[in-house]
Amino acid sequence: MAKRFSIRFYITAVLIILLGVISLIYLYIGSEWVDFPGQHQLCAYVLRGIDPYPYIGGTHIPEQARDVGIIPSGWGAVPWGLLLGNIFYFGFMDIKNAEMAFLIVNILILSAVVFFIRKKAAKIYSNREFIYLSMLLAAASPDYFIPLFGNAGGIICCMLILVWILCDERPVLAGILLGFAMVKPQVALIICLGFMLQKRFMPVIIAAVIDIAAWLCVSIMTKTNMLMLLKEFLMSGTGGSYRYSGIMTPFISNNTAALIASMLIGIIFVLLMQYLFSNNLNEEYHSFSLIFAYIASNFWCYRFNSDNYVLLVPSLICLYIATSSKKLYEYILWFCAVFYCNYGLYVKSSAIWGRISGFKFSDTDKHLVMTIYALGLMLVSVIIYTHLRKLQKE
């Protein structure tokens, strides 16, 4: 007879499902496809042989793009993303069909993540409760629902999760996914660093070849020098002047300086944590060390809440520790860590805290909340490392 699930499994499963449903309803009410039209236009311009950067936020529309419209100010994409982004934003379709295709791709790739999470979870810990809870976490994460309405962040995060799952057995496929995920280098680039520190060069090399080839194609299609395309992107003001530029944003007024400082902290964090892992933990835990690059992607660069689904990776490690814990209080504490990583929407949302407190958050206040949340993620990282060291000694 198959072993029955424990009461704590059912309580946890119901909580995950309930939070997922509440999140989907909360995000659906009043949601608009804000990001999608601008990104669709960027891709459409390139497919028509037009360099889109000079036209962002302008009033002049080139003749070939009259039906596409004006690209809004603050929108942008890396040069290789102008071509690779077509698998997310479908610049070769009209806007309505493109939106429908976008939703279909979201459903398909989330299904793939849930399927492969089941296999990965079984390898980490062959416990039925852990496996099924891992699948539920993947399918009912508010961080996935946030970008569902018109931003490719959810799809790109799914790709990065699949990269983590597939990198050992299928490094070529992992590299292809990583190359497409580099459409958002603010999320993916630090993860490339994690792979390089583990000397897993194949996925990174393949990703680089794909991105450089796409960049070259855009250069040929638009008759614009590759370096000029990069310069135009860097000067385009992507994200606007009030964007969150990483963990140092509340402390440095200049966006560029804050971004550079945040990137340095993120890189040092990944270097330090992976060094500690590789020198103090057995080989069985080494695949876990990639979680620090996934955590750092949350605070090392400019970002929006559409790119947080990568935190599913550290959430699963916390869930593994929780479900393997014998004592109830340990299970509860580690599930709190799962909640912190996988349900950041409820921890750092200034909209939610504003409604509770009645306080009106300024942009500076919002950035401070996000930085406090990032510091909490770093603390979770240290606790994970310390706990695994303890388990190894025992």
Side-chain angles (χ1 to χ4, degrees):
M1 181 181 294
K3 184 181 178 181
R4 294 181 179 179
F5 291 116
S6 66
I7 294 176
R8 75 180 189 182
F9 166 81
Y10 287 111
I11 293 174
T12 306
V14 169
L15 180 60
I16 291 172
I17 294 170
L18 184 61
L19 286 170
V21 172
I22 292 172
S23 302
L24 187 58
I25 294 172
Y26 172 76
L27 294 167
Y28 178 77
I29 295 173
S31 63
E32 297 180 9
W33 286 64
V34 177
D35 291 329
F36 194 90
Q39 295 294 342
H40 177 266
Q41 288 170 323
L42 286 165
C43 293
Y45 268 55
V46 169
L47 292 179
R48 299 178 188 211
I50 307 166
D51 175 3
Y53 296 125
Y55 299 99
I56 295 173
T59 57
H60 174 65
I61 304 175
E63 188 64 35
Q64 308 97 299
R66 290 289 180 189
D67 59 320
V68 178
I70 297 172
I71 302 170
S73 178
W75 263 245
V78 289
W80 52 91
L82 296 172
L83 182 62
L84 298 180
N86 280 286
I87 72 164
F88 313 124
Y89 299 116
F90 304 95
F92 50 89
M93 295 182 178
D94 65 76
I95 187 70
K96 291 299 179 183
N97 287 328
E99 289 176 352
M100 183 61 66
F102 175 82
L103 289 175
I104 292 171
V105 170
N106 269 277
I107 293 170
L108 291 175
I109 198 163
L110 180 62
S111 301
V113 166
V114 173
F115 174 79
F116 282 103
I117 282 290
R118 186 181 188 279
K119 292 190 171 186
K120 183 69 173 180
K123 290 180 180 179
I124 294 173
Y125 182 39
S126 58
N127 174 282
R128 288 197 309 155
E129 294 190 2
F130 171 64
I131 293 169
Y132 287 116
L133 288 176
S134 296
M135 294 170 68
L136 280 176
L137 274 181
S141 170
D143 283 336
Y144 184 78
F145 299 145
I146 288 171
L148 186 60
F149 306 102
N151 186 283
I155 299 173
I156 288 171
C157 289
C158 282
M159 288 181 169
L160 291 171
I161 292 166
L162 290 172
V163 168
W164 173 66
I165 295 171
L166 299 171
C167 61
D168 289 327
E169 297 178 357
R170 300 178 183 178
V172 175
L173 178 56
I176 293 170
L177 291 170
L178 186 58
F180 279 95
M182 277 291 291
V183 167
K184 285 198 171 190
Q186 68 268 32
V187 186
L189 188 57
I190 192 76
I191 292 171
C192 292
L193 173 63
F195 277 101
M196 292 177 70
L197 291 173
Q198 288 195 340
K199 298 181 180 179
R200 297 181 178 185
F201 298 118
M202 180 65 76
V204 179
I205 291 171
I206 292 172
V209 170
I210 290 172
D211 294 333
I212 293 171
W215 186 2
L216 176 60
C217 286
V218 171
S219 175
I220 294 170
M221 292 167 69
T222 62
K223 298 181 176 62
T224 308
N225 182 277
M226 291 176 69
L227 293 179
M228 178 57 69
L229 286 170
L230 182 61
K231 180 182 178 181
E232 288 176 337
F233 163 69
L234 293 174
M235 299 296 291
S236 64
T238 301
S241 58
Y242 296 104
R243 71 189 186 196
Y244 182 69
S245 297
I247 194 169
M248 295 302 293
T249 305
F251 313 114
I252 302 175
S253 58
N254 182 279
N255 270 341
T256 302
L259 181 64
I260 293 170
S262 298
M263 293 177 78
L264 286 173
I265 289 174
I267 291 169
I268 292 169
F269 169 77
V270 174
L271 288 171
L272 176 62
M273 295 307 298
Q274 292 211 182
Y275 173 81
L276 291 172
F277 247 66
S278 61
N279 285 276
N280 297 298
L281 287 169
N282 293 334
E283 191 172 342
E284 63 179 298
Y285 293 128
H286 281 188
S287 66
F288 288 2
S289 69
L290 281 170
I291 69 172
F292 303 116
Y294 282 76
I295 286 173
S297 73
N298 192 264
F299 62 77
W300 88 299
C301 194
Y302 83 86
R303 67 179 299 102
F304 297 94
N305 285 332
S306 56
D307 305 324
N308 294 338
Y309 188 55
V310 288
L311 291 177
L312 175 66
V313 175
S315 299
L316 293 176
I317 306 306
C318 293
L319 181 65
Y320 155 67
I321 298 172
T323 51
S324 59
S325 299
K326 303 301 181 184
K327 298 177 181 178
L328 180 60
Y329 80 89
E330 290 182 349
Y331 180 86
I332 293 172
L333 288 175
W334 279 104
F335 187 76
C336 287
V338 173
F339 180 89
Y340 190 84
C341 293
N342 206 55
Y343 298 91
L345 168 68
Y346 297 106
V347 180
K348 63 177 179 179
S349 172
S350 54
I352 293 176
W353 288 112
R355 289 177 184 177
I356 293 173
S357 64
F359 179 75
K360 187 175 181 180
F361 284 76
S362 66
D363 288 319
T364 302
D365 296 327
K366 293 175 184 177
H367 294 163
L368 181 60
V369 170
M370 293 176 74
T371 289
I372 292 171
Y373 178 76
L375 292 171
L377 288 174
M378 296 173 80
L379 178 61
V380 170
S381 302
V382 173
I383 294 172
I384 290 173
Y385 166 73
T386 305
H387 183 80
L388 293 178
R389 279 291 309 274
K390 179 183 175 183
L391 287 180
Q392 181 174 284
K393 289 179 179 179
E394 292 175 353

